[in-house]
């Protein structure tokens, strides 16, 4: 059996600012730090558990330098082969449609029996788009897989409300998983360091891109802060209440953006903690049981 696992990286917590997020969308080269996306770890775990000694497991990622963190983890994990599809020069702000087309163009030529993707939150569009371009069934939110024979899998899928359903799936097929669905194998620091120093093991290939039109990211905005707990006015219409929830609360006033709200605390940890707690109390952001 030949298995491909599509993996991705995301910004480390230390690098997550509005400016660095914008860099990942619009700059071809960035200095920000990445780490493997948790659902990609789950995808590697599932793919590895299904492969025997005669099977072939290949990890693939699109994104140039931003994908290296995920590929290094896969290499350290013990994946047989890792492939990096480099970015297209001048192409920035691409959406999941572009990514799916480029991945599909490469995967189609490799004749994989099974493709496994991570899908953070279970609502991402990439796995479904990828399966569509490859012409194979897509099963999301998978939490159990068993090989019935060389061409058929038994798959358990999570549904809403805690329901589960068992499916019989004929290969080739695409499965997507979420973080936490499978126990994670510990990858030692020694293996991680070895992978970091052996980039020569990562095969770099050029993307095949036919220039099909797609949507393009033109701007990125930070989440709208909700500075105060405010109950929803029950006298409002359903549409207004829904707008309130989706918008993160009432619009900020000029007062909410005054200088004291932008104060940076530079002090010893114990003193900084006290100042932060006082600030949260003042803004009524702490749960009542902690006050």
């Amino acid at each position: 059996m030949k298995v491909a696992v599509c993996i991705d990286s995301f910004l480390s917590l230390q690098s997550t600012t509005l400016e660095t997020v914008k860099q990942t969308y619009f700059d071809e080269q960035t200095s920000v730090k990445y780490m493997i996306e948790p659902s990609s770890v789950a995808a590697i775990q599932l793919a590895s558990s299904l492969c025997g000694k005669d099977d072939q497991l290949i990890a693939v990622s699109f994104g140039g330098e931003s994908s290296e963190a995920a590929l290094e983890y896969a290499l350290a994990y013990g994946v047989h082969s890792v492939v990096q599809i480099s970015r297209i020069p001048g192409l920035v702000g691409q959406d999941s449609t572009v990514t799916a087309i480029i991945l599909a163009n490469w995967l189609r030529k490799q004749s994989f029996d099974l493709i496994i993707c991570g899908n953070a939150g279970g609502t991402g569009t990439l796995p479904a788009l990828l399966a569509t371009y490859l012409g194979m069934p897509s099963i999301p939110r998978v939490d159990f897989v068993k090989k019935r024979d060389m061409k058929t899998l038994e798959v358990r899928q999570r549904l809403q409300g805690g329901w589960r359903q068992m499916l019989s799936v004929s290969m080739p097929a695409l499965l997507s998983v979420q973080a936490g669905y499978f126990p994670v194998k510990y990858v030692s620091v020694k293996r991680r360091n070895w992978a970091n120093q052996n980039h020569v093991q990562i095969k770099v290939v050029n993307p095949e891109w036919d220039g099909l039109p797609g949507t393009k990211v033109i701007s990125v905005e930070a989440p709208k802060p909700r500075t105060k707990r405010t109950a929803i006015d029950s006298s409002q219409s359903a549409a207004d209440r829904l707008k309130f929830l989706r918008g993160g609360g009432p619009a900020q006033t000029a007062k909410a953006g005054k200088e004291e709200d932008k104060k940076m605390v530079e002090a010893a940890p114990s003193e900084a903690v006290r100042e932060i707690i006082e600030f949260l109390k003042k803004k009524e952001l702490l749960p009542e049981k902690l006050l």
Side-chain angles (χ1 to χ4, degrees):
M1 185 170 68
K2 192 174 181 181
V3 181
V5 55
C6 299
I7 56 179
D8 195 13
S9 302
F10 75 134
L11 286 173
S12 63
L13 292 177
Q14 295 86 348
S15 300
T16 306
T17 66
L18 180 58
E19 289 304 315
T20 55
V21 170
K22 287 182 177 179
Q23 286 183 35
T24 63
Y25 278 99
F26 305 117
D27 295 346
E28 293 189 36
Q29 293 185 347
T30 67
S31 58
V32 298
K33 294 182 179 180
Y34 292 85
M35 59 188 297
I36 185 169
E37 207 282 319
S39 65
S40 293
V41 176
I44 294 174
Q45 176 68 37
L46 173 59
S48 178
S49 67
L50 293 173
C51 290
K53 62 179 181 178
D54 297 326
D55 298 322
Q56 186 177 6
L57 175 58
I58 299 174
V60 58
S61 184
F62 166 64
E65 293 181 1
S66 63
S67 65
E68 289 181 358
L71 294 171
E72 286 177 8
Y73 182 92
L75 194 62
Y77 193 94
V79 172
H80 303 144
S81 177
V82 290
V83 176
Q84 180 188 63
I85 302 178
S86 58
R87 294 183 67 165
I88 301 173
L91 180 64
V92 294
Q94 71 268 12
D95 70 332
S96 55
T97 304
V98 175
T99 303
I101 292 174
I102 291 174
L103 284 172
N105 288 340
W106 184 83
L107 291 166
R108 191 178 294 111
K109 296 182 177 181
Q110 310 303 316
S111 300
F112 286 102
D113 300 300
L114 181 64
I115 299 171
I116 302 176
C117 299
N119 190 358
T123 58
T125 58
L126 180 63
L129 287 170
L130 188 56
T132 299
Y133 294 136
L134 293 172
M136 59 177 59
S138 172
I139 299 90
R141 300 183 301 279
V142 171
D143 68 358
F144 173 81
V145 181
K146 179 182 178 181
K147 286 196 292 186
R148 179 183 294 177
D149 52 50
M150 294 301 294
K151 288 293 182 181
T152 311
L153 299 172
E154 287 186 6
V155 175
R156 186 173 66 195
Q157 181 185 34
R158 293 194 183 189
L159 304 176
Q160 292 182 345
W163 289 81
R164 306 284 193 275
Q165 68 177 6
M166 291 295 296
L167 304 171
S168 176
V169 181
S170 298
M171 295 186 285
L174 185 147
L175 312 179
S176 62
V177 300
Q178 294 174 236
Y181 280 15
F182 302 93
V184 178
K185 171 186 172 181
Y186 173 71
V187 179
S188 68
V189 175
K190 183 178 180 180
R191 289 287 301 176
R192 298 291 293 271
N193 290 337
W194 172 84
N196 182 260
Q197 297 168 8
N198 284 269
H199 279 207
V200 67
Q201 303 284 342
I202 300 176
K203 181 181 178 181
V204 180
V205 299
N206 293 322
E208 293 186 21
W209 170 243
D210 49 19
L212 291 176
T215 57
K216 181 179 179 180
V217 179
I218 58 175
S219 68
V220 179
E221 297 180 1
K224 182 179 177 181
R226 188 171 180 176
T227 58
K228 193 174 183 179
R229 296 195 303 269
T230 306
I232 301 175
D233 187 357
S234 59
S235 65
Q236 293 180 335
S237 67
D240 288 340
R241 281 180 285 171
L242 181 60
K243 187 184 297 183
F244 182 95
L245 291 171
R246 295 178 63 183
Q252 277 192 289
T253 62
K255 182 179 178 181
K258 58 186 179 180
E259 288 303 318
E260 69 176 30
D261 291 345
K262 301 177 183 178
K263 179 180 177 182
M264 180 176 292
V265 178
E266 295 183 3
S270 58
E271 180 63 26
V273 168
R274 282 194 290 270
E275 290 201 34
I276 292 171
I277 291 176
E278 288 301 318
F279 176 83
L280 294 174
K281 286 181 179 179
K282 184 177 180 181
K283 297 299 179 182
E284 300 182 17
L285 292 172
L286 286 178
E288 294 183 359
K289 62 182 180 181
L290 297 180
L291 297 178

